[in-house]
Amino acid sequence: MSKSAVIVGVDGSESSDQAVVWAANTAQLMGRELVVVGVYEPQIGGYAGSAMAYTGDLITMLQKAVVDTVAASVQLARETAPAVQVSSRVVAGTPTSVLNDESANAALVVVGSRGRGAVKGLIAGSVSTGVAAHAASPVAVIAHTPGTGPVVVGIDGSEISDHALTAAFEQASLRGTGLTVVHTWTDLATNTFGGLGITDDLVQLSQDEAHKLVADRVTAHATDYPDVAVSTIVAADGPAHQLLTAAGEGAQLLVLGSRGRGGFTGLLLGSVSQTVLHHAPSPVLIVKTPVG
């Protein structure tokens, strides 16, 4: 397997098939190998120390089911993107640990939004949080078919936000579309400023600083991607609301950094991340490491 491969976790569900199609198309755009990974669990999960191993016959049945699922997913990937080199792996373990391990040798890990069977709950609940928060590579969560609009990215001026912006420019360029850059400079509602003693002059200063931050970051990246048309949204609002609203305009992809500051503090650690991951109307790309 190439160290720069795209990895897609599969379980045969409709969501998994959506992830395979997206991953195959993206691997083709990126010029990467695609590796289809299926996981079977050789024991019944439970509380610490209470897990029980399955019988040998049941493990064999689980393996065969996953092997068949992976084979079907490989076929789907090859039909979707015939030019892409496709290989596969069937691994014993838990979905979170396997995909996190695979991410160490990946350019990107792709997962569907829901799972079933041997990898039930692939993205829903604790597994999604585990992969999104701990994978070594960027992670794409595919909950919907991409729209035909721009790539949307949230930035806050942090280092990881810059990596997300780089990834967003790259993806917009590869997909031949524009880029919408979203920045929120406060979570407070504007009609509360006066009651909190925040003067109009201070509001204007904060707005000006926010616009400058966005302009500076966009300018620093745009020269490398002259083919990408950029629009910006700078608002006093919650980041999740602004991102979901922007993505709701038919976005092809919504890009986020794994952590943030200011308007995106705790982006993948609390309620904002859960809101974005579970409600985004487009595929979501979570950037974990420097791109390239």
Side-chain angles (χ1 to χ4, degrees):
M1 182 185 75
S2 168
K3 188 173 177 61
S4 58
V6 173
I7 304 290
V8 59
V10 302
D11 70 353
S13 65
E14 180 180 354
S15 181
S16 169
D17 287 347
Q18 287 181 322
V20 170
V21 170
W22 190 91
N25 284 326
T26 299
Q28 182 166 279
L29 290 173
M30 296 174 69
R32 308 283 190 176
E33 176 190 357
L34 177 65
V35 181
V36 178
V37 176
V39 183
Y40 67 95
E41 299 189 52
Q43 63 182 16
I44 303 170
Y47 296 105
S50 67
M52 296 184 297
Y54 287 124
T55 65
D57 287 346
L58 185 52
I59 290 175
T60 299
M61 291 174 60
L62 288 171
Q63 286 176 312
K64 184 180 185 307
V66 175
V67 167
D68 290 346
T69 293
V70 167
S73 297
V74 167
Q75 180 63 28
L76 176 60
R78 288 174 174 160
E79 292 172 354
T80 301
V84 173
Q85 179 182 347
V86 183
S87 61
S88 63
R89 288 167 54 82
V90 174
V91 185
T94 63
T96 303
S97 61
V98 167
L99 292 175
N100 284 339
D101 288 346
E102 293 286 338
S103 74
N105 295 311
L108 173 66
V109 170
V110 183
V111 286
S113 62
R114 296 174 181 84
R116 70 181 185 200
V119 285
K120 184 177 181 181
L122 186 59
I123 284 305
S126 61
V127 176
S128 64
T129 303
V131 175
H134 299 296
S137 69
V139 176
V141 180
I142 314 304
H144 299 280
T145 301
T148 58
V151 170
V152 175
V153 61
I155 70 169
D156 64 4
S158 64
E159 182 180 1
I160 191 63
S161 160
D162 273 351
H163 297 323
L165 185 56
T166 300
F169 264 107
E170 178 185 18
Q171 289 294 323
S173 180
L174 289 172
R175 297 170 194 281
T177 191
L179 176 64
T180 300
V181 180
V182 178
H183 174 67
T184 64
W185 54 274
T186 179
D187 290 338
L188 298 175
T190 54
N191 60 8
T192 65
F193 288 163
L196 295 172
I198 302 173
T199 65
D200 290 343
D201 287 344
L202 182 56
V203 171
Q204 187 62 54
L205 177 62
S206 297
Q207 289 177 329
D208 291 345
E209 289 177 345
H211 280 281
K212 183 178 186 304
L213 181 153
V214 172
D216 288 348
R217 299 324 305 150
V218 168
T219 299
H221 291 74
T223 54
D224 293 329
Y225 299 93
D227 57 322
V228 177
V230 180
S231 62
T232 61
I233 297 173
V234 179
D237 193 6
H241 178 257
Q242 281 296 321
L243 288 166
L244 293 174
T245 299
E249 300 297 321
Q252 294 191 38
L253 185 65
L254 173 56
V255 183
L256 307 171
S258 59
R259 292 177 179 81
R261 68 183 186 204
F264 291 92
T265 298
L267 190 57
L268 286 181
L269 302 177
S271 61
V272 174
S273 64
Q274 295 299 318
T275 300
V276 171
L277 284 175
H278 290 290
H279 297 287
S282 66
V284 177
L285 175 63
I286 301 165
V287 176
K288 317 299 287 303
T289 56
V291 178

